[in-house]
Amino acid sequence: MTVPPFVALVPARMASTRFPGKVLADIAGTPMVLHCAQRALESGASRVVIATDHPEVRRVAEAAGWFVVMTAATHETGTDRLAEAVAHLDLAPDTLVVNVQGDEPLLDPTTIRAVVQRLHDRPDCTLATAAYPITSRAHLEQTNAVKVVLDHQDMALYFSRAPIPWARDAWAQDVVSWPEDLPAWHHVGLYAYRVSFLRRFAQLSPAPLERHEALEQLRALWYGYRIAVVRLMRAPLPGVDTPEDLARVCTAWATRGAYAGTEPFTR
């Protein structure tokens, strides 16, 4: 199947709370954000753009030959940053844009393509994203793991850091067992958008659910937009949130010789 044309945006914010400046951290002699841009290019994007709020990121990226747009440092969410970037790029409203985070150097290009294809195949949706199965109660109860509940068409019903869905009857009898048919999904923060939606998103007030859950995708659901979800077979390789994560990624890179992806999707 031929993937439709799309633009990949790589947001690269320097002021990370847990790991400031991580987007320029060295992995095998290359700044992390440039690895992320390369994954985006390998996914088949017709154009790859790094969106940053910091001149040092711009200097490094442009020196390596990547196209950069400068965005404000005051954006509250990554989607707001992308909305400014597409305004600078003057993209057509029906253009498909995928958000490839600047701290995901091991992201599988086939996963990027799958999310773009999912959005293209659902003209009734304005966003697409991905998720992989949760198979243990301990995983479900992790508050740093964002869960998504799906309907019968794999449309997102809700996202939360809380353990959802909850197997009330099964766990009333046995707090350890895992119901085999419990449809629990861990959300992966990879998004494809239509440019028309990104422009509207920047004009929408944050939703109460978004503020309490600290999940920007709830703004889309709050205002009635549909989000299509790709089911991954397993968890993607990890991104970098802390210096410890960076050490693990560097070790994985050294032992594998390069990134190694996941099987992309089940449908």
Side-chain angles (χ1 to χ4, degrees), residues 100-238:
V100 178
Q101 295 289 353
D103 58 4
E104 298 279 350
L106 304 181
L107 183 62
D108 190 338
T110 62
T111 300
I112 299 172
R113 288 196 296 272
V115 171
V116 172
Q117 186 68 54
R118 180 83 165 115
L119 182 59
H120 176 263
D121 292 344
R122 294 298 307 232
D124 57 322
C125 296
T126 51
L127 296 88
T129 188
Y132 66 89
I134 294 174
T135 58
S136 75
R137 181 167 169 174
H139 185 174
L140 188 70
E141 293 182 338
Q142 291 175 7
T143 56
N144 63 343
V146 177
K147 298 87 182 176
V148 57
V149 175
L150 308 178
D151 71 8
H152 73 288
Q153 294 181 309
D154 288 346
M155 298 290 124
L157 293 173
Y158 192 68
F159 297 84
S160 182
R161 301 179 191 278
I164 56 173
W166 186 256
R168 185 197 66 171
D169 294 340
W171 287 331
Q173 301 174 34
D174 182 352
V175 297
V176 177
S177 66
W178 178 262
E180 290 298 325
D181 61 345
L182 184 67
W185 296 92
H186 184 134
H187 177 235
V188 176
L190 171 67
Y191 294 98
Y193 310 85
R194 302 184 194 280
V195 164
S196 57
F197 168 77
L198 281 173
R199 292 175 177 170
R200 290 195 297 270
F201 184 89
Q203 307 302 317
L204 298 173
S205 300
L209 293 172
E210 171 191 1
R211 291 197 300 268
H212 287 289
E213 293 266 19
L215 297 173
E216 64 197 84
Q217 62 269 38
L218 290 174
R219 191 185 312 181
L221 293 181
W222 178 266
Y223 288 102
Y225 296 102
R226 303 190 78 192
I227 303 176
V229 181
V230 171
R231 297 188 186 193
L232 304 179
M233 293 181 178
R234 59 178 63 88
L237 294 171

Side-chain angles (χ1 to χ4, degrees), residues 39 42 104-111 234-238 249 252-263:
R39 300 292 81 74
E42 292 167 359
E104 298 279 350
L106 304 181
L107 183 62
D108 190 338
T110 62
T111 300
R234 59 178 63 88
L237 294 171
V249 168
W253 200 283
T255 56
R256 296 169 187 259
Y259 73 96
T262 62
E263 295 176 64

Side-chain angles (χ1 to χ4, degrees), residues 64-88:
W66 295 99
F67 187 83
V68 179
V69 295
M70 296 298 295
T71 57
T74 54
H75 291 304
E76 293 186 4
T77 73
T79 309
D80 290 312
R81 185 176 308 284
L82 296 187
E84 183 186 355
V86 299
H88 289 318

